[in-house]
Amino acid sequence: MSFFAKLFKKNTEPEENVKGSVEEFVSLIKVYYQANIAAQLGVTNLTILPDMKLFKQMLKIPTQNNKLGLAERARARKVLAEDYGLGDAFFKEMDTSVKRVCKRATDIQSYYLLFQGFTTDLFNVMSDLMGVKFRFSMIFKKMMYGATAKAVHDILTRSEWKEVSVQKLAWSVRKYAETLGFSERWVTDYAYNVLLMAREDQKRELKKNRGKKKA
């Protein structure tokens, strides 16, 4: 299994949710858009918003003004801004995306599937595009952002590819991005943070394995 393929593979054993991990970052993104959905559509059933429900319960976030989503969205945004350096433009684009796709409660599942499909195809195609460049770029954040931005630009603008499988994935990501209303900058910032956290996850894993060998 490739390094990129492991990013979203569910662990067979329960692990501690580490701060600054791929799992935490992606979960917070899901919490943010689910809180948006709750606030915009007036959702009252927490069971259809699983990530937000867990987030709310773990942090004991009280419901604001008897409306789900408001307090949860504000808390998720604060964590994403402070811990991951995301700016207002990133959140505004998420807000717009939810408004664009979720017009009624029946659209919630569709948004989940769209976002999951977008994420999966994005990192599958980036695995093919970045390859060795990714491992070198892991040394420097600036180099890593540049490599990520170039890969995303190619995915969203390039019309011809040598490999048919890569071309299909790239076109799929482009379609998802258009449907969800994500700009090239948003996709780049999202992908960069996931890859940056993947680097931290890899460091922790290597450190953990070294500790096992010494023992």
Side-chain angles (χ1 to χ4, degrees), residues 42-213:
V43 176
T44 57
N45 183 4
L46 269 174
T47 59
I48 62 175
L49 304 167
D51 297 277
M52 193 191 86
K53 178 182 178 181
L54 180 61
F55 183 74
K56 180 180 180 67
Q57 291 175 341
M58 288 180 65
L59 298 184
K60 296 180 173 59
I61 301 172
T63 301
Q64 182 179 329
N65 298 330
N66 294 317
K67 188 173 184 180
L68 285 175
L70 296 178
E72 296 81 5
R73 179 175 59 189
R75 181 68 70 86
R77 176 172 178 149
K78 181 179 179 182
V79 176
L80 285 165
E82 292 180 352
D83 291 0
Y84 299 93
L86 295 172
D88 290 342
F90 186 90
F91 299 110
K92 286 179 181 178
E93 204 156 315
M94 284 290 288
D95 298 346
T96 302
S97 175
V98 170
K99 287 180 181 178
R100 177 174 180 158
V101 178
C102 292
K103 305 293 185 183
R104 56 190 68 84
T106 52
D107 296 329
I108 295 175
Q109 186 62 27
S110 296
Y111 195 94
Y112 290 172
L113 295 175
L114 282 170
F115 192 82
Q116 184 59 48
F118 160 76
T119 296
T120 300
D121 285 356
L122 173 64
F123 288 100
N124 279 334
V125 72
M126 288 191 75
S127 174
D128 289 297
L129 292 184
M130 294 180 74
V132 177
K133 288 182 180 179
F134 172 72
R135 298 192 181 278
F136 280 115
S137 67
M138 287 181 79
I139 302 172
F140 304 108
K141 288 185 180 181
K142 187 175 181 180
M143 185 185 296
M144 187 175 180
Y145 190 89
T148 302
K150 184 181 185 307
V152 170
H153 179 74
D154 286 345
I155 292 168
L156 298 182
T157 62
R158 191 168 164 183
S159 57
E160 295 183 4
W161 302 82
K162 291 181 180 179
E163 298 289 336
V164 175
S165 59
V166 176
Q167 178 172 291
K168 287 181 177 179
L169 280 172
W171 286 356
S172 176
V173 172
R174 193 180 307 180
K175 181 63 177 177
Y176 278 125
E178 289 174 356
T179 302
L180 291 164
F182 293 152
S183 67
E184 184 175 323
R185 175 61 183 273
W186 191 94
V187 177
T188 298
D189 287 346
Y190 175 65
Y192 168 73
N193 274 282
V194 169
L195 296 179
L196 190 63
M197 293 307 102
R199 179 176 71 171
E200 299 306 311
D201 285 349
Q202 189 179 56
K203 286 181 180 178
R204 281 189 287 265
E205 186 176 347
L206 289 172
K207 185 177 180 180
K208 182 179 179 180
N209 289 336
R210 282 197 296 267
K212 287 182 178 179
K213 288 180 180 179

